[in-house]
Amino acid sequence: TGIIFENCTVGNELQGCFLGLDPTGKIALPNRFYQAVFQNDGNNDVLGGIDPGSRNVIENGSVTSSVSAPFGVSIENSKFTQIQNNYLGVQPNGLGVQANDTNAISISGGADGTIVDNAICASDAGIQLIGDDVIGFTIQRNNIGVNAAGYGGAVQANNVGIEIGLGSHGNVIGAASGENLQTGTYSNYIDNNNGDGIRIESNVSNNTVAGYNSIRGNLISGNGRSGTGVGVDLGGNQAQLANDDGDADTGANTLQ
């Protein structure tokens, strides 16, 4: 693995690094396992930052590994982690692609983190939140399936833009409750993915105590490049659901 923060104190920072590729962004030099891991760590870790010099450029390349899914970034049981302004599967110029074979960002445990202002391309899932102990993440202002300039072609596509599974709940994709976006603006740009733009699996059911997943104020378009896929897939069956009186049905995210 490139870098591991494990059982550390609070406030670790990972900034300005090239993980899995050379500084030109054109040559894959993948680490054998994960590129960056925050595991059982203290609160308030930071990956990236507002300043372009703080940006990390990350890709996991094509490499045979005994790890089933050597992700770009893996967050495991860490709270208040901030992932900001990084390029994942995108070359340092923000335009070209250096593909990920698996997920760009995988969250398998933790709460109340933020994933903002990143460009995420050419991965399996751009962002994956998986597990009933993954709670309260905020995902805003990311380009998912397109490069930093908002362009998407076949090589930029993720297989899935955002995937939420195994009971992950209380997450916000896009605008927060009560936030009013100006006319003509949006939060995340989720476009050009091979399958679904956002997939909420069938094992994410009605969670009235801890909160549903909120999807608000995003631009979701042009997904399903492979021939199947919908903008927001509730249940993982790639079906377009009918509107129903009173919305009394149940299912993934209460089918809302």
Side-chain angles (χ1 to χ4, degrees):
T1 294
I3 295 180
I4 302 176
F5 293 93
E6 184 174 9
N7 300 319
C8 298
T9 56
V10 301
N12 303 289
E13 297 181 353
L14 176 58
Q15 297 178 323
C17 295
F18 297 89
L19 294 166
L21 73 171
D22 82 315
T24 71
K26 297 179 180 180
I27 302 174
L29 299 169
N31 298 295
R32 186 169 178 80
F33 300 125
Y34 303 99
Q35 308 310 300
V37 175
F38 294 83
Q39 185 177 54
N40 302 319
D41 218 34
N43 298 338
N44 299 302
D45 290 336
V46 175
L47 179 74
I50 296 174
D51 186 272
S54 299
R55 176 182 299 130
N56 299 288
V57 183
I58 301 169
E59 67 93 26
N60 66 11
S62 177
V63 60
T64 301
S65 170
S66 60
V67 175
S68 59
F71 309 123
V73 176
S74 178
I75 308 297
E76 306 168 16
N77 305 318
S78 298
K79 296 186 69 176
F80 305 112
T81 303
Q82 178 178 299
I83 302 173
Q84 183 174 25
N85 193 29
N86 302 285
Y87 289 166
L88 296 109
V90 182
Q91 291 181 2
N93 62 11
L95 304 176
V97 167
Q98 189 59 265
N100 291 302
D101 281 357
T102 54
N103 300 333
I105 298 173
S106 179
I107 315 293
S108 59
D112 303 319
T114 57
I115 303 173
V116 297
D117 299 320
N118 303 283
I120 305 172
C121 276
S123 304
D124 187 6
I127 300 171
Q128 182 188 64
L129 309 179
I130 187 163
D132 59 9
D133 57 348
V134 178
I135 305 168
F137 277 79
T138 298
I139 301 172
Q140 295 179 329
R141 303 187 306 276
N142 300 283
N143 280 0
I144 302 175
V146 296
N147 63 22
Y151 171 80
V155 296
Q156 279 83 17
N158 302 301
N159 287 328
V160 177
I162 298 174
E163 180 183 17
I164 301 178
L166 292 180
S168 179
H169 56 274
N171 304 294
V172 174
I173 302 173
S177 177
E179 179 182 354
N180 293 314
L181 296 173
Q182 294 183 355
T183 300
T185 66
Y186 50 87
S187 182
N188 298 292
Y189 182 30
I190 304 170
D191 181 84
N192 183 57
N193 296 290
N194 289 324
D196 297 324
I198 298 173
R199 178 185 300 162
I200 299 183
E201 303 288 1
S202 59
N203 50 34
V204 180
S205 58
N206 314 321
N207 198 319
T208 57
V209 176
Y212 309 110
N213 297 290
S214 174
I215 304 170
R216 302 162 52 92
N218 304 286
L219 177 55
I220 306 172
S221 59
N223 297 291
R225 286 185 62 96
S226 65
T228 58
V230 294
V232 179
D233 185 349
L234 302 180
N237 55 14
Q238 298 189 330
Q240 183 173 343
L241 304 177
N243 292 316
D244 50 355
D245 186 28
D247 200 44
D249 49 3
T250 59
N253 217 50
T254 64
L255 301 185
Q256 295 188 55

